[in-house]
Amino acid sequence: MYPAFTVAEVRRAEQLELDRLGEDVLMRRAARGLATVVLEELRRSAGRVYGNRVLLVVGSGNNGGDGLWAGVTLARRGVRVSAWRTGSAVHAAGWAAFLAAGGRELDAAGALAELSRAAVVVDAVTGLGGRAGLRPEVAGFAAACATRRVPVVAVDLPSGIPADPPFVVPAPAHFPATTTVSFGGRKLCQAIEPARSACGRLVLVDIGLGTMTPEVVCWESADVLAHWPVPGPSDDKYSRGVVGIDAGSASYPGAGVLATTGAVRAGAGMVRFVGVPEVAATVVERLPNVVAAPGRVQSMVLGSGWGRRPDGARIVAAAIDGGLPVVLDADALTLLPEVLHADVLLTPHAGELARLLDVPREQITADPVAAARQAVAQTGATVLLKGASQVVATPGHEAVELAVPGPAWTAQAGSGDLLAGICGALLAAGLPVRLAAVLAASAQALAAARQGGVPPQELDLQAALG
């Protein structure tokens, strides 16, 4: 797992070091790390360092200073370095050192001309305080970088991408980073879509900041393997967990099949299908190890593919009152009682959560972390917000968790039904709701990444975790 931080938290930590050491020390540390990455990019993309061309695009803030001091190091290594100052001001000491080291100044037209010769562009226009989008002249240059496929190394973050949400879709103009060099720790834009993909490869440079409090904790594949429940020699089907599933309807029988498939493939000891009879017959035909009869269960999965269900509110309320962990998906999300608790897991996508919170869908996608937190505060339940970044928020936990990211192939009908079943299996195995949610979403992402664009029911979770 790794943390990601807000701008305010990074600035707090930076200020402590600035007060202790001064600006020059931190900037030189950042510049050394940046120069090292640019040198690596030159070797990778151009095959050599000496005599190659690097173009710095620098703004007026400290990010511009980082880029200029890195340019000094590059010039001393035999790189032909030039710089375009995009504003009226520039970091004075860095600019003087850059010129003294043999750096060359370009205007906007000269920078565009240099693109045809530059092996790497260093984007040092804006930093933590930057807003979404770029001024037209800079936006045109950024677009030219993308068109000509020149490698771009971004300083701390791609200019035009804000460090904190909201992240707008479609995104305003920004630099197309091949690599982003992040100082001191990951920013939220480097962890949450749609900004994450704009950052390219991420390289962290330690500049000596102290302990910071994360806004989000991001899971990695090794974490999934370490936490996934594995049966022991003394386990039986009951100790492995029995899942009760009521999903699907005459109109949407596939949802019942998919939710049940998710529970089976996630390793449930037993799955009891307790939905409508016409779906039960289809489920058992596809999955003969499923029991289509009521009985003892250790978790419940409700709502996927229900459609309009007259008895739905009663079923949801009874499951919650029963005290077992409950997954509420799809149509069950419209039937929430007034009182929920942290062992209830809501699994909405952005549209469903927008309806639940009575806000525009764009507000959910622009800041999924804030949206998931708002849902927790409003309902008291644990929330797994599905989407390009899958966010898990839990009552009593300040930091939210991000599941392992997966490919866009998972954005297809049925993926959410399958995920609900996976969640149910992990809850039946006795995992805390927060952990079950982030494991389920991560496992599905890993399986999709391993297998590409196969239908949801074909995802092999065990192979992905092996």
Side-chain angles (χ1 to χ4, degrees):
M1 300 177 199
Y2 57 85
F5 307 97
T6 63
V7 169
E9 185 64 7
V10 174
R11 288 199 188 282
R12 182 196 64 78
E14 283 182 343
Q15 191 59 53
L16 290 175
E17 291 304 302
L18 289 170
D19 293 343
R20 189 172 70 90
L21 300 172
E23 177 189 290
D24 186 62
V25 173
L26 284 188
M27 185 169 288
R28 296 297 185 91
R29 288 175 182 173
R32 281 195 298 270
L34 174 61
T36 299
V37 175
V38 175
L39 290 169
E40 291 171 353
E41 186 63 45
L42 283 172
R43 295 186 187 101
R44 178 169 45 251
S45 62
R48 62 186 174 86
V49 168
Y50 189 84
N52 246 314
R53 293 176 180 264
V54 170
L55 171 57
L56 311 177
V57 187
V58 297
S60 59
N62 285 342
N63 265 42
D66 296 337
L68 290 169
W69 281 111
V72 172
T73 299
L74 296 173
R76 290 170 179 169
R77 295 291 299 272
V79 179
R80 300 173 69 179
V81 189
S82 54
W84 170 34
R85 300 190 299 176
T86 61
S88 57
V90 72
H91 189 275
W95 183 248
F98 171 77
L99 295 177
R104 186 165 58 106
E105 180 179 8
L106 300 174
D107 60 12
L112 275 173
E114 182 70 7
L115 265 185
S116 62
R117 299 183 292 269
V120 173
V121 168
V122 174
D123 161 27
V125 179
T126 62
L128 293 182
R131 298 179 180 179
L134 298 167
R135 292 189 293 105
E137 190 174 45
V138 181
F141 181 86
C145 290
T147 300
R148 301 185 190 187
R149 297 184 178 180
V150 181
V152 174
V153 176
V155 181
D156 225 8
L157 48 81
S159 297
I161 298 288
D164 284 349
F167 304 127
V168 181
V169 181
H174 61 81
F175 272 86
T178 308
T179 300
T180 295
V181 183
S182 187
F183 305 126
R186 285 175 172 83
K187 285 69 181 177
L188 295 183
C189 66
Q190 296 153 2
I192 302 171
E193 297 291 2
R196 178 180 179 273
S197 294
C199 296
R201 181 176 70 103
L202 186 66
V203 178
L204 294 178
V205 170
D206 183 4
I207 58 172
L209 301 186
T211 301
M212 294 186 287
T213 301
E215 182 78 354
V216 301
V217 176
C218 308
W219 279 60
E220 300 176 278
S221 56
D223 304 313
V224 180
L225 296 175
H227 289 85
W228 192 267
V230 177
S234 61
D235 278 314
D236 57 29
K237 60 187 176 185
Y238 298 107
S239 63
R240 287 180 62 178
V242 182
V243 188
I245 294 182
D246 185 343
S249 60
S251 298
Y252 307 105
V257 174
L258 286 166
T260 310
T261 299
V264 169
R265 288 182 177 267
M270 180 190 294
V271 180
R272 293 186 184 275
F273 188 83
V274 295
V276 296
E278 55 265 49
V279 178
T282 304
V283 169
V284 174
E285 182 182 354
R286 300 285 185 90
L287 300 162
N289 58 332
V290 173
V291 177
R296 185 183 68 169
V297 297
Q298 286 136 301
S299 70
M300 287 294 298
V301 177
L302 306 175
S304 305
W306 271 4
R308 293 190 177 184
R309 179 111 175 224
D311 61 347
R314 177 184 60 79
I315 292 171
V316 169
I320 293 171
D321 291 343
L324 292 177
V326 182
V327 180
L328 300 181
D329 184 46
D331 298 302
L333 296 170
T334 67
L335 303 171
L336 300 182
E338 290 187 7
V339 179
L340 298 175
H341 51 77
D343 282 343
V344 176
L345 174 61
L346 310 182
T347 58
H349 57 58
E352 290 165 336
L353 190 58
R355 288 191 291 273
L356 180 63
L357 299 179
D358 193 23
V359 299
R361 187 181 191 279
E362 293 74 19
Q363 182 174 323
I364 307 296
T365 55
D367 194 347
V369 169
R373 281 201 174 112
Q374 183 181 348
V376 169
Q378 183 168 314
T379 66
T382 298
V383 175
L384 164 54
L385 173 56
K386 299 177 290 193
S389 289
Q390 307 214 78
V391 178
V392 177
T394 313
H397 287 257
E398 284 298 318
V400 305
E401 293 175 89
L402 297 186
V404 175
W409 288 113
T410 52
Q412 56 178 307
S415 290
D417 307 326
L418 192 81
L419 177 58
I422 300 169
C423 291
L426 294 173
L427 290 173
L431 295 184
V433 179
R434 172 192 58 81
L435 183 57
V438 73
L439 277 176
S442 296
Q444 186 179 41
L446 290 170
R450 179 186 176 96
Q451 296 173 249
V454 301
Q457 68 269 24
E458 300 298 329
L459 291 181
D460 191 337
L461 297 176
Q462 300 305 319
L465 295 170

